[in-house]
């Protein structure tokens, strides 16, 4: 993403006011110990500016500093202002003043140094909390690949078109794997993992179904195809995993000789199979550092190590400890630990590393059950919903369907309203809902659900009796899975709330066509505030007039006028099951309102609200 920004700036497509861009990866700045200066940092990366840098500082409004990967920086940068955080901090005295890297970044953001310069910070969601109180011009969420981007990446990755087609077909059949591919790094790992599976079908290696299984296959392929020294692969993986875990704890993703020595590791062809060498320049010349290809690979190796220890440790205690951390550092790590409890996931790795202890597997499952039950009880607010959703990810990775059914067996309502859901969240939620028959009420009001999100939820929708999808953004593609759910014979939806989705006439027409289904059980339908006009009235009335289950219809705060009165009167008269219709907030004249109100007495208890 940052490379794309830099390319577009360099080619004159964006930021014409910016004359110089200084790009720093915060992971690389982790190796700086003690104090440094902004000038030193710049010249380390851009030594050719030595003679002109002082001149460049004179016009800070033409400068852009890019700090990439806040979540990968080992130190916390305290961005809150002095009124909110009275703890003394060091203000950087200028570009040549000595400060910690954290203070340099903070001083640039707060315009204490080079006032007028621009600063761009990128981060995974896990580190966003520290940015909450920054006064900023723009926040942006990078969504990654759209559907066509994922397909294009996979097609380009595989030279053989036939293999590319088979991989793409397989990926599309797996909602979780396909949705995960919005992240280009995940997409690369996926393609690396699937390549030998589809290239050599004679090996009969099963393709992955979960994220943990994907990474398990990725590591397995590396271990299988890299030479192994006389030392035990299990022992080396344990040491590497302990180093990886220490890195997750301390936000360290670049490892040097000291890290290797501390964990009794030595650089080898075995290690280089799953760690990358990078060269860094320092006072002594150049030295070799190591990093994992992606942070998620480090997190997986760290999780794997928890099953490789020769001495049985209390895994529940460790999981409880890291689960208490609220900064998101351990979310992926926990998914992998729980995911490795599924025997099918670990089977390949056990060929090389030996069996994973059954006691640890049982402890992981026990921990998951206890905490899943706790998360259900504590859900209902933002923090509780986040924890519950994380637990659903863990449950999916564990593939322990019985645990889901036992744990959710008494839950009748699931309320995630107001909590932003992405496509991957929705795919995981759908998986859990499909395993449970007791959840009758699903509240997804104001969850930022769009086309892709509702598509991922689609398979689970028919199981819910009461479905709230108000204040979302269901587009053309989003209405389609909803219509498909309503057409299914087994669909249980009785109450459907779609208020404030900006559906418009066309989408509501499609929705009402689905309601023609004689098996449809819909009793209450909310279509308020959806920009509906007289253009859809005849279709709505035609579809609903034959419905025998509809009791309440809400069409408030739309744009209906007297042109719809005749059709609406016909609906009220012919839909004999209808007990109430809400029509206030439209554009009816007094005469139109009176014509509608005159029908109030045609059936006992009929409510016409105009």
């Amino acid at each position: 993403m940052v490379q794309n920004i830099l390319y577009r700036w360099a080619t004159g497509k964006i930021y014409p006011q910016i004359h110089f861009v200084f790009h720093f990866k915060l992971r690389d700045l982790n190796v700086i110990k003690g104090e440094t200066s902004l000038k030193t940092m710049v010249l380390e990366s851009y030594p050719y500016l030595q003679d002109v840098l002082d001149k460049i500082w004179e016009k800070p409004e033409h400068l852009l500093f890019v700090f990439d990967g806040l979540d990968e920086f080992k130190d916390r940068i305290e961005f809150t202002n002095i009124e909110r955080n009275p703890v003394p901090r060091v203000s950087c005295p200028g570009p040549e003043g000595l400060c910690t890297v954290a203070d340099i970044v903070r001083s640039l953001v707060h315009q204490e140094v080079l006032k007028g310069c621009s600063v761009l910070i990128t981060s995974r969601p896990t580190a966003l909390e520290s940015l909450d109180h920054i006064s900023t011009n723009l926040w942006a969420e990078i969504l990654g690949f759209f559907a066509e981007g994922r397909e294009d990446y996979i097609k380009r990755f595989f030279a053989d078109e036939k293999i590319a087609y088979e991989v793409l077909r397989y990926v599309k059949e797996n909602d979780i794997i396909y949705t995960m591919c919005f992240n280009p790094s995940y997409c690369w790992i996926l393609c690396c993992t699937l390549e030998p599976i589809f290239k050599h079908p004679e090996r009969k290696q099963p393709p992955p179904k979960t994220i943990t299984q994907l990474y398990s296959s990725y590591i397995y392929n590396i271990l299988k195809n890299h030479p192994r020294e006389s030392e035990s692969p299990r022992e080396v993986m344990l040491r590497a995993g302990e180093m990886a875990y220490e890195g997750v704890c301390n936000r360290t993703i670049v490892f040097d000789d000291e890290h290797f020595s501390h964990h009794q590791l030595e650089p080898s062809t075995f290690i280089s199979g799953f760690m990358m060498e990078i060269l860094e320049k320092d006072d002594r010349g150049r030295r070799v550092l190591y990093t994992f290809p992606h942070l998620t690979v480090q997190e997986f190796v760290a999780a794997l190590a928890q099953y490789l220890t020769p001495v049985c440790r209390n895994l529940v205690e460790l999981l409880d400890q890291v689960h208490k951390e609220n900064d998101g550092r351990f979310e992926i790590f926990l998914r992998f630990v729980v995911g490795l409890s599924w025997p099918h996931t670990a089977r390949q790795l056990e060929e090389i590393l030996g069996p994973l202890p059954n006691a640890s597997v049982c402890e992981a499952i026990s921990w998951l059950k206890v905490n899943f039950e706790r998360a259900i009880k504590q859900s209902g607010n933002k923090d509780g919903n986040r924890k519950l959703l994380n637990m659903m990810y863990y449950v999916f990775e564990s593939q322990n369907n019985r645990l889901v059914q036992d744990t959710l067996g008494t839950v009748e309502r699931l309320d995630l309203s107001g909590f932003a859901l992405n496509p991957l969240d929705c795919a995981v939620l759908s998986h859990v809902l499909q395993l449970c028959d007791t959840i009758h009420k699903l509240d997804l009001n104001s969850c930022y659900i769009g086309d892709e999100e509702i598509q991922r939820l689609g398979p689970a929708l028919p199981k819910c009796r009461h479905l709230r999808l108000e204040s979302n953004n269901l587009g053309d593609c989003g209405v389609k899975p909803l219509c498909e759910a309503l057409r299914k014979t087994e669909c249980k939806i009785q109450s459907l709330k779609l208020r404030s989705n900006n559906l418009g006439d066309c989408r509501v027409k499609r929705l009402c066509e689905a309601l023609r289904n004689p098996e449809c059980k819909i009793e209450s339908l909310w279509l308020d505030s959806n920009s509906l006009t007289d253009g859809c009235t005849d279709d709505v009335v035609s579809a609903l007039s034959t419905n025998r289950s509809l009791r309440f219809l809400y069409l408030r705060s739309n744009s209906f006028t007297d042109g719809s009165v005749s059709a609406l009167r016909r609906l009220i008269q012919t839909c004999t099951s209808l007990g109430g219709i809400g029509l206030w907030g439209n554009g009816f004249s007094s005469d139109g309102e009176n014509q509608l109100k005159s029908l109030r007495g045609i059936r006992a208890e009929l409510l016409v609200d105009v």
Side-chain angles (χ1 to χ4, degrees), residues 70-286:
L70 179 64
D71 56 294
E72 298 178 349
F73 190 53
K74 64 181 180 180
D75 298 323
R76 179 179 174 85
I77 303 177
E78 189 55 71
F79 289 109
T80 52
N81 57 37
I82 197 69
E83 289 80 11
R84 289 177 173 168
N85 183 21
V87 178
R89 295 170 310 190
V90 176
S91 291
C92 197
E96 298 185 18
L98 294 178
C99 291
T100 64
V101 172
D103 283 323
I104 290 173
V105 175
R106 183 191 56 77
S107 296
L108 285 169
V109 168
H110 286 307
Q111 301 287 285
E112 295 169 2
V113 173
L114 298 177
K115 185 175 182 180
C117 72
S118 299
V119 182
L120 172 64
I121 297 176
T122 71
S123 174
R124 288 205 306 179
T126 54
L128 289 180
E129 183 182 353
S130 63
L131 297 172
D132 279 349
H133 303 297
I134 290 182
S135 177
T136 179
N137 295 329
L138 176 67
W139 285 88
E141 180 180 1
I142 308 303
L143 299 177
F145 286 142
F146 289 114
E148 57 272 17
R150 299 170 210 177
E151 294 184 18
D152 184 59
Y153 185 97
I154 291 173
K155 289 176 181 177
R156 289 173 180 269
F157 186 92
F158 296 97
D160 189 319
E161 290 185 9
K162 182 180 178 182
I163 293 178
Y165 173 78
E166 291 176 352
V167 168
L168 193 55
R169 183 177 63 178
Y170 169 76
V171 170
K172 283 185 173 181
E173 290 173 352
N174 187 314
D175 266 359
I176 304 294
I177 297 291
Y178 177 71
T179 308
M180 184 200 72
C181 288
F182 80 93
N183 185 314
S185 296
Y186 286 170
C187 212
W188 175 78
I189 291 173
L190 174 69
C191 290
C192 289
T193 302
L194 295 182
E195 184 175 29
I197 295 175
F198 284 88
K199 197 172 182 179
H200 301 285
E202 71 279 0
R203 297 177 183 174
K204 297 182 179 180
Q205 182 180 346
K209 294 181 179 179
T210 69
I211 309 303
T212 309
Q213 201 173 1
L214 170 66
Y215 279 76
S216 180
S217 296
Y218 173 75
I219 294 295
Y220 169 80
N221 289 334
I222 290 173
L223 300 182
K224 190 78 172 176
N225 296 300
H226 277 73
R228 301 188 291 276
E229 291 79 7
S230 57
E231 192 171 12
S232 163
R234 185 184 183 102
E235 184 63 29
V236 176
M237 282 301 297
L238 170 61
R239 295 174 190 170
E242 289 176 336
M243 183 176 72
Y245 175 70
E246 183 181 288
V248 174
C249 292
N250 300 321
R251 299 186 184 277
T252 301
I253 60 174
V254 178
F255 303 92
D256 56 20
D257 291 338
E258 290 184 16
H259 294 105
F260 271 65
S261 176
H262 178 71
H263 292 280
Q264 298 179 317
L265 282 168
E266 292 184 3
S268 64
T269 53
F270 182 72
I271 288 290
S272 65
F274 52 88
M275 294 191 74
M276 299 164 53
E277 295 182 4
I278 55 177
L279 291 175
E280 183 196 68
K281 185 177 180 181
D282 62 10
D283 295 337
R284 296 167 292 177
R286 288 185 176 271

Side-chain angles (χ1 to χ4, degrees), residues 215-486:
Y215 279 76
S216 180
S217 296
Y218 173 75
I219 294 295
Y220 169 80
N221 289 334
I222 290 173
L223 300 182
K224 190 78 172 176
N225 296 300
H226 277 73
R228 301 188 291 276
E229 291 79 7
S230 57
E231 192 171 12
S232 163
R234 185 184 183 102
E235 184 63 29
V236 176
M237 282 301 297
L238 170 61
R239 295 174 190 170
E242 289 176 336
M243 183 176 72
Y245 175 70
E246 183 181 288
V248 174
C249 292
N250 300 321
R251 299 186 184 277
T252 301
I253 60 174
V254 178
F255 303 92
D256 56 20
D257 291 338
E258 290 184 16
H259 294 105
F260 271 65
S261 176
H262 178 71
H263 292 280
Q264 298 179 317
L265 282 168
E266 292 184 3
S268 64
T269 53
F270 182 72
I271 288 290
S272 65
F274 52 88
M275 294 191 74
M276 299 164 53
E277 295 182 4
I278 55 177
L279 291 175
E280 183 196 68
K281 185 177 180 181
D282 62 10
D283 295 337
R284 296 167 292 177
R286 288 185 176 271
R287 61 172 178 162
V288 177
L289 301 176
Y290 284 87
T291 186
F292 290 88
H294 192 260
L295 179 56
T296 50
V297 177
Q298 177 179 336
E299 290 164 325
F300 177 83
V301 174
L304 179 59
Q306 310 311 314
Y307 290 92
L308 300 178
T309 53
V311 179
C312 187
R313 66 173 62 174
N314 190 331
L315 186 57
V316 171
E317 185 177 315
L318 181 140
L319 296 179
D320 279 338
Q321 180 182 343
V322 300
H323 184 57
K324 291 177 183 177
E325 299 293 335
N326 294 320
D327 56 11
R329 266 179 301 163
F330 296 101
E331 286 181 7
I332 306 299
F333 167 79
L334 284 168
R335 292 181 197 177
F336 286 143
V337 172
V338 174
L340 284 165
S341 69
W342 186 30
H344 187 69
T345 298
R347 193 168 297 146
Q348 285 183 318
L349 288 173
E350 288 180 327
E351 292 179 20
I352 299 173
L353 303 177
L356 305 190
N358 187 60
S360 297
V361 170
C362 292
E363 285 184 333
I365 295 172
S366 174
W367 178 87
L368 176 60
K369 187 177 189 305
V370 169
N371 283 274
F372 191 22
E373 291 173 346
R374 183 179 299 153
I376 292 169
K377 294 176 182 177
Q378 295 176 349
S379 63
N381 55 52
K382 184 177 180 180
D383 185 55
N385 288 342
R386 176 76 261 172
K387 291 180 179 178
L388 176 58
L389 191 60
N390 277 334
M391 280 296 157
M392 290 184 181
Y393 273 95
Y394 305 157
V395 165
F396 170 76
E397 292 300 322
S398 76
Q399 292 291 289
N400 196 325
N401 297 346
R402 179 64 181 273
L403 185 148
V404 176
Q405 293 160 353
D406 290 346
T407 306
L408 288 176
T410 59
V411 178
E412 295 186 356
R413 182 186 180 191
L414 191 59
D415 183 358
L416 295 174
S417 58
F419 188 80
L421 298 174
N422 62 42
L424 194 54
D425 294 336
C426 291
V428 170
L429 177 59
S430 177
H431 170 81
V432 172
L433 290 173
Q434 289 179 76
L435 295 173
C436 181
D437 293 320
T438 60
I439 295 180
H440 303 314
K441 297 180 181 180
L442 179 61
D443 190 343
L444 300 178
N445 178 37
S446 301
C447 287
Y448 298 88
I449 292 174
D451 287 353
E452 187 168 359
E453 287 81 7
I454 196 69
Q455 286 179 40
R456 301 299 157 219
L457 285 167
L461 297 180
K463 304 198 71 165
C464 305
R465 293 182 185 175
H466 304 279
L467 181 59
R468 287 191 66 184
L469 290 168
E470 299 158 289
S471 301
N472 285 296
N473 187 30
L474 304 184
D476 291 333
C477 296
V479 170
K480 183 179 178 181
L482 195 55
C483 293
E484 291 173 350
L486 290 168

Side-chain angles (χ1 to χ4, degrees), residues 488-518:
K488 291 184 177 179
T489 305
E490 67 273 19
C491 181
K492 299 178 181 179
I493 298 176
Q494 297 175 351
S495 172
L496 179 59
K497 295 186 178 182
L498 295 172
R499 183 188 295 121
S500 301
N501 267 287
N502 196 30
L503 293 176
D505 293 348
C506 183
R507 293 165 191 161
V508 165
K509 288 179 183 180
R510 292 171 59 186
L511 182 66
C512 288
E513 280 301 311
L515 296 175
R516 287 183 185 274
N517 177 14

